[in-house]
Amino acid sequence: MALFPRGANPVLLYAATVVMAVGFVGAQLMSWVMFPDVLDAAELATGQRNAGGFTGLMTFIRGLATALTIQLVALVLQLTGYRAPVGTEVVAQPEAVQWGIRLTLLVAVAVLLSLGWWIARRYPLTLARCRAMQDELAARRGGAPASVG
């Protein structure tokens, strides 16, 4: 998206946007999909199911990431010579500003998604491990095993 050529067929831009949106949905949902398994692992390790603490930590990290992103974009705009509009006037931005925005999007998305992939790759909770944890938790709680099959 960051390097999409100006004046290209808009249908290609829409198609690229759909592909990017699917990827971003996956990236956004992954932490929430993993969350119950993390709670199970934490309960096995600590004996407590501290969902509030983990939710607070995740919310804090997301807020911190958002704040850092806003600061990075503002810094890029400042360094590339962004011209603020006055009133309702539309101000043409220098080429450096446009490239700064494009490269920020390109590099930030590539780095952050690569980091997320690397962390997720090392995540030790497989489906078999999650089922085993659920069974162990059920046994500790005095109930029947949770997994079937």
Tab-separated table of all heavy atoms in Angstrom, residues 40 43-44 49 130-147:
chain	number	residue	atom	x	y	z
A	40	ASP	N	-5.340	-19.965	30.967
A	40	ASP	CA	-5.204	-21.344	31.435
A	40	ASP	C	-3.758	-21.630	31.856
A	40	ASP	O	-3.523	-22.211	32.920
A	40	ASP	CB	-5.620	-22.332	30.341
A	40	ASP	CG	-7.114	-22.370	30.104
A	40	ASP	OD1	-7.875	-21.833	30.933
A	40	ASP	OD2	-7.529	-22.931	29.060
A	43	GLU	N	-3.026	-19.867	35.085
A	43	GLU	CA	-3.687	-20.519	36.221
A	43	GLU	C	-2.932	-21.771	36.640
A	43	GLU	O	-2.779	-22.044	37.836
A	43	GLU	CB	-5.137	-20.864	35.878
A	43	GLU	CG	-5.896	-21.449	37.049
A	43	GLU	CD	-7.353	-21.743	36.738
A	43	GLU	OE1	-7.824	-21.393	35.643
A	43	GLU	OE2	-8.020	-22.340	37.604
A	44	LEU	N	-2.440	-22.522	35.666
A	44	LEU	CA	-1.654	-23.706	36.007
A	44	LEU	C	-0.356	-23.312	36.713
A	44	LEU	O	0.088	-23.991	37.636
A	44	LEU	CB	-1.328	-24.516	34.753
A	44	LEU	CG	-2.471	-25.346	34.188
A	44	LEU	CD1	-2.074	-25.968	32.863
A	44	LEU	CD2	-2.892	-26.421	35.183
A	49	ARG	N	-6.642	-17.502	38.588
A	49	ARG	CA	-7.095	-17.095	37.248
A	49	ARG	C	-7.289	-15.573	37.271
A	49	ARG	O	-8.372	-15.075	37.541
A	49	ARG	CB	-8.382	-17.814	36.866
A	49	ARG	CG	-8.734	-17.626	35.410
A	49	ARG	CD	-9.738	-18.688	34.984
A	49	ARG	NE	-9.977	-18.640	33.568
A	49	ARG	CZ	-9.333	-19.342	32.655
A	49	ARG	NH1	-8.370	-20.178	33.022
A	49	ARG	NH2	-9.635	-19.263	31.383
A	130	CYS	N	-3.046	-27.136	24.760
A	130	CYS	CA	-4.214	-26.447	25.324
A	130	CYS	C	-5.231	-27.439	25.860
A	130	CYS	O	-5.803	-27.241	26.938
A	130	CYS	CB	-4.854	-25.545	24.270
A	130	CYS	SG	-3.856	-24.097	23.876
A	131	ARG	N	-5.456	-28.528	25.127
A	131	ARG	CA	-6.396	-29.549	25.608
A	131	ARG	C	-5.878	-30.212	26.875
A	131	ARG	O	-6.641	-30.467	27.811
A	131	ARG	CB	-6.644	-30.588	24.516
A	131	ARG	CG	-7.511	-30.046	23.417
A	131	ARG	CD	-7.838	-31.091	22.394
A	131	ARG	NE	-8.748	-30.541	21.395
A	131	ARG	CZ	-8.853	-30.985	20.174
A	131	ARG	NH1	-8.118	-32.013	19.767
A	131	ARG	NH2	-9.693	-30.433	19.338
A	132	ALA	N	-4.567	-30.463	26.914
A	132	ALA	CA	-3.980	-31.069	28.111
A	132	ALA	C	-4.101	-30.119	29.306
A	132	ALA	O	-4.389	-30.555	30.434
A	132	ALA	CB	-2.518	-31.422	27.848
A	133	MET	N	-3.895	-28.837	29.076
A	133	MET	CA	-4.042	-27.858	30.163
A	133	MET	C	-5.478	-27.806	30.660
A	133	MET	O	-5.725	-27.741	31.872
A	133	MET	CB	-3.618	-26.456	29.692
A	133	MET	CG	-2.131	-26.271	29.579
A	133	MET	SD	-1.609	-24.551	29.313
A	133	MET	CE	-2.691	-23.983	28.047
A	134	GLN	N	-6.448	-27.835	29.747
A	134	GLN	CA	-7.846	-27.807	30.147
A	134	GLN	C	-8.202	-29.041	30.976
A	134	GLN	O	-8.924	-28.947	31.973
A	134	GLN	CB	-8.752	-27.706	28.927
A	134	GLN	CG	-8.678	-26.359	28.260
A	134	GLN	CD	-9.428	-26.322	26.941
A	134	GLN	OE1	-9.957	-27.322	26.468
A	134	GLN	NE2	-9.482	-25.144	26.337
A	135	ASP	N	-7.677	-30.206	30.570
A	135	ASP	CA	-7.911	-31.428	31.337
A	135	ASP	C	-7.293	-31.332	32.733
A	135	ASP	O	-7.908	-31.717	33.726
A	135	ASP	CB	-7.355	-32.646	30.604
A	135	ASP	CG	-8.152	-32.996	29.360
A	135	ASP	OD1	-9.304	-32.515	29.225
A	135	ASP	OD2	-7.620	-33.739	28.502
A	136	GLU	N	-6.058	-30.812	32.803
A	136	GLU	CA	-5.385	-30.675	34.095
A	136	GLU	C	-6.124	-29.679	34.992
A	136	GLU	O	-6.292	-29.924	36.197
A	136	GLU	CB	-3.938	-30.232	33.886
A	136	GLU	CG	-3.135	-30.232	35.164
A	136	GLU	CD	-1.668	-29.912	34.955
A	136	GLU	OE1	-1.170	-30.046	33.821
A	136	GLU	OE2	-1.030	-29.503	35.944
A	137	LEU	N	-6.596	-28.584	34.414
A	137	LEU	CA	-7.356	-27.608	35.195
A	137	LEU	C	-8.666	-28.210	35.700
A	137	LEU	O	-9.055	-27.990	36.846
A	137	LEU	CB	-7.636	-26.351	34.372
A	137	LEU	CG	-6.473	-25.398	34.191
A	137	LEU	CD1	-6.823	-24.304	33.187
A	137	LEU	CD2	-6.051	-24.795	35.519
A	138	ALA	N	-9.334	-28.976	34.848
A	138	ALA	CA	-10.587	-29.617	35.259
A	138	ALA	C	-10.334	-30.600	36.401
A	138	ALA	O	-11.112	-30.667	37.357
A	138	ALA	CB	-11.231	-30.316	34.064
A	139	ALA	N	-9.219	-31.331	36.301
A	139	ALA	CA	-8.884	-32.277	37.369
A	139	ALA	C	-8.576	-31.542	38.674
A	139	ALA	O	-8.999	-31.967	39.754
A	139	ALA	CB	-7.698	-33.127	36.946
A	140	ARG	N	-7.854	-30.436	38.590
A	140	ARG	CA	-7.543	-29.647	39.795
A	140	ARG	C	-8.801	-29.069	40.428
A	140	ARG	O	-8.884	-28.933	41.642
A	140	ARG	CB	-6.606	-28.491	39.452
A	140	ARG	CG	-5.189	-28.891	39.231
A	140	ARG	CD	-4.338	-27.654	39.043
A	140	ARG	NE	-2.965	-27.997	38.732
A	140	ARG	CZ	-1.986	-27.119	38.632
A	140	ARG	NH1	-2.241	-25.830	38.809
A	140	ARG	NH2	-0.765	-27.507	38.349
A	141	ARG	N	-9.760	-28.734	39.576
A	141	ARG	CA	-11.008	-28.141	40.083
A	141	ARG	C	-11.992	-29.214	40.528
A	141	ARG	O	-13.074	-28.899	41.017
A	141	ARG	CB	-11.653	-27.280	38.989
A	141	ARG	CG	-10.833	-26.065	38.631
A	141	ARG	CD	-11.459	-25.358	37.446
A	141	ARG	NE	-10.652	-24.237	36.990
A	141	ARG	CZ	-10.593	-23.816	35.738
A	141	ARG	NH1	-11.304	-24.414	34.801
A	141	ARG	NH2	-9.839	-22.796	35.427
A	142	GLY	N	-11.653	-30.460	40.279
A	142	GLY	CA	-12.514	-31.564	40.701
A	142	GLY	C	-13.597	-31.923	39.708
A	142	GLY	O	-14.549	-32.601	40.040
A	143	GLY	N	-13.450	-31.502	38.468
A	143	GLY	CA	-14.447	-31.787	37.449
A	143	GLY	C	-13.960	-32.836	36.462
A	143	GLY	O	-12.882	-33.393	36.594
A	144	ALA	N	-14.798	-33.089	35.472
A	144	ALA	CA	-14.459	-34.030	34.419
A	144	ALA	C	-13.521	-33.351	33.422
A	144	ALA	O	-13.546	-32.135	33.292
A	144	ALA	CB	-15.713	-34.503	33.707
A	145	PRO	N	-12.695	-34.131	32.709
A	145	PRO	CA	-11.825	-33.539	31.681
A	145	PRO	C	-12.630	-32.743	30.662
A	145	PRO	O	-13.721	-33.126	30.278
A	145	PRO	CB	-11.151	-34.742	31.035
A	145	PRO	CG	-11.237	-35.827	32.050
A	145	PRO	CD	-12.504	-35.559	32.832
A	146	ALA	N	-12.068	-31.622	30.237
A	146	ALA	CA	-12.774	-30.711	29.335
A	146	ALA	C	-12.731	-31.171	27.889
A	146	ALA	O	-13.669	-30.949	27.139
A	146	ALA	CB	-12.175	-29.306	29.435
A	147	SER	N	-11.629	-31.808	27.486
A	147	SER	CA	-11.512	-32.172	26.068
A	147	SER	C	-12.176	-33.514	25.789
A	147	SER	O	-12.211	-34.391	26.640
A	147	SER	CB	-10.052	-32.206	25.648
A	147	SER	OG	-9.352	-33.190	26.372
